[in-house]
Amino acid sequence: MDVKVVLGERSYDVVIDGGGPAAVAPRIAALGARRAVIVTDDVVGPLWAGVVRDALVRCNVATVVVTFPHGEVNKTLATWSALVEQIVAAGVDRSTVIVAVGGGVVGDVAGFAAASVLRGLPFVQVPTTVLAMVDSSVGGKTAVNLPTGKNLVGAFYQPSLVFAGLASLATLPARELVAGLAEVVKTALIADESLLRLLERDADRLRLGDPEALAPVIARCVAIKAAIVARDERETGDRIWLNLGHTVGHGLEVAAGYGTLLHGEAVALGTLAELRWASARGWSTNADLAPRVARLVARLGLPTSVPPIDLFAVEAAMRLDKKAAGATIRVPVVISVGHMTVVPVPIDSLREMLTS
Ligand code: GLY
């Protein structure tokens, strides 16, 4: 199944394919590529980079593989710097395609490298996690973290193609698979009551990674995200909705220490905290929504209570949110499922979001 992200001359397809990542090769060759650099990490690389490289070579695309250490803790300027040096050393020209094979961290770092080397090389995302398939690979956000905050350095840089080979989810560790489902819940909340009901119906199968349950859910999330990005590429409007759960979530992720809570786990906790906070202030028209989502999140195997953590550190991290504008932060709020608003929250009252 193909979903189009419609952005004028930067439009591209998101292909959702039942096979593995290697099936991307003819599509990359069809883009006119003759050389490629696969960027991956030391966990995904041994599983999938070799087969993608071999498939590209069979399609007459000369390909090298560049690998960096896995994990959010390595989504740094130092990793980006080493990566761009290796890409340049591989002998690239402006037609060389950068192919990100991996999860959200790989896609974000590889994308920022693609945006930077020679001021921009063609870029293909081959997401291998649920999180990357439903969220981070689509829409052109690329970035690295700073010790003080998530994704504080980066660029909007759209890929030429996204290829989600669902067979790669079979090798995904259970904790990573479940963490990605937090972005799925977020997507349902911002856009689609019927998707939320589907998640409730299939929660047990989704938690176990059943491909037949995952495929339609991933396809629906991609379609929702593609539509939002098409109408607001650079987050001046509705795209901010996709940050539901991320104001608190990023704060928790940074304060816990990158990699302690997985991004999706922090987003699940952040979504619950933000739903309760919005409900306590009467913004949500549905008082049952927060408990309903808590039940779903628990059934999906995601955490529902914040681990022991210094709330001052969480608040400090939240203050550095990219959505800050002067003394306020713009926070997306669910009025009811599929109906969103954005509330300016004074930075000095952010703590209330952690204690509602
Ligand atoms: N992950 C949120 C966005 O792409 O806008």
Side-chain angles (χ1 to χ4, degrees):
M1 178 194 164
D2 291 10
V3 176
K4 200 162 202 70
V5 182
V6 181
L7 288 169
E9 62 184 13
R10 284 170 293 105
S11 299
Y12 55 94
D13 288 331
V14 182
V15 180
I16 299 160
D17 185 280
V24 73
R27 301 241 184 191
I28 292 177
L31 294 173
R34 289 292 162 262
R35 294 164 64 89
V37 177
I38 293 174
V39 177
T40 189
D41 68 26
D42 58 345
V43 172
V44 177
L47 297 169
W48 297 111
V51 291
V52 177
R53 182 198 52 219
D54 294 350
L56 282 166
V57 169
R58 281 196 298 278
C59 291
N60 298 315
V61 182
T63 305
V64 297
V65 178
V66 175
T67 306
F68 66 85
H70 72 280
E72 193 74 37
V73 75
N74 290 306
K75 193 174 140 179
T76 60
L77 280 169
T79 297
W80 169 83
S81 171
L83 189 57
V84 293
E85 299 252 12
Q86 290 175 82
I87 291 171
V88 170
V92 293
D93 62 30
R94 280 217 167 118
S95 66
T96 304
V97 179
I98 304 298
V99 183
V101 178
V105 171
V106 168
D108 280 11
V109 180
F112 189 34
S116 324
V117 173
L118 306 186
R119 299 204 182 96
L121 300 179
F123 177 45
V124 172
Q125 289 262 24
V126 184
T128 59
T129 65
V130 173
L131 183 140
M133 288 180 187
V134 301
D135 191 56
S136 61
S137 69
V138 180
K141 280 190 177 175
T142 74
V144 295
N145 302 328
L146 296 180
T148 40
K150 285 268 296 179
N151 300 331
L152 291 182
V153 181
F156 285 100
Y157 191 67
Q158 299 295 341
S160 306
L161 171 71
V162 180
F163 186 93
L166 298 181
S168 62
L169 300 181
T171 57
L172 191 59
R175 187 177 170 199
E176 295 275 353
L177 181 126
V178 162
L181 296 173
E183 299 282 8
V184 173
V185 173
K186 172 202 81 177
T187 305
L189 285 170
I190 67 177
D192 190 347
E193 170 68 37
S194 64
L195 177 58
L196 193 63
R197 282 202 294 270
L198 183 62
L199 301 181
E200 290 172 325
R201 192 194 74 185
D202 288 350
D204 302 326
R205 295 169 65 202
L206 291 165
R207 191 191 56 207
L208 297 173
D210 178 339
E212 285 183 12
L214 283 166
V217 163
I218 289 171
R220 182 71 192 124
C221 289
V222 169
I224 291 168
K225 177 143 189 194
I228 292 175
V229 169
R231 61 180 191 261
D232 179 23
E233 181 184 9
R234 297 181 76 94
E235 200 167 286
T236 53
D238 294 357
R239 187 166 180 170
I240 198 170
W241 299 347
L242 292 162
N243 289 301
L244 175 65
H246 287 63
T247 309
V248 173
H250 281 170
L252 290 170
E253 196 180 351
V254 174
Y258 287 127
T260 308
L261 279 172
L262 296 181
H263 176 68
E265 294 168 344
V267 167
L269 292 168
T271 301
L272 291 176
E274 293 178 22
L275 288 175
R276 289 183 186 122
W277 163 82
S279 181
R281 270 145 201 81
W283 287 320
S284 172
T285 56
N286 182 347
D288 184 47
L289 187 59
R292 177 184 175 194
V293 175
R295 286 192 296 276
L296 173 61
V297 161
R299 282 184 61 211
L300 291 170
L302 285 157
T304 54
S305 53
V306 175
I309 197 165
D310 177 357
L311 292 188
F312 287 102
V314 181
E315 187 187 0
M318 286 163 70
R319 284 173 178 268
L320 284 169
D321 197 291
K322 288 186 302 310
K323 300 183 301 299
T328 60
I329 291 185
R330 297 170 62 238
V331 178
V333 165
V334 185
I335 300 170
S336 62
V337 178
H339 300 277
M340 300 293 293
T341 189
V342 179
V343 175
V345 179
I347 286 180
D348 288 338
S349 63
L350 279 176
R351 169 180 292 265
E352 293 168 9
M353 299 177 79
L354 300 168
T355 52
S356 290

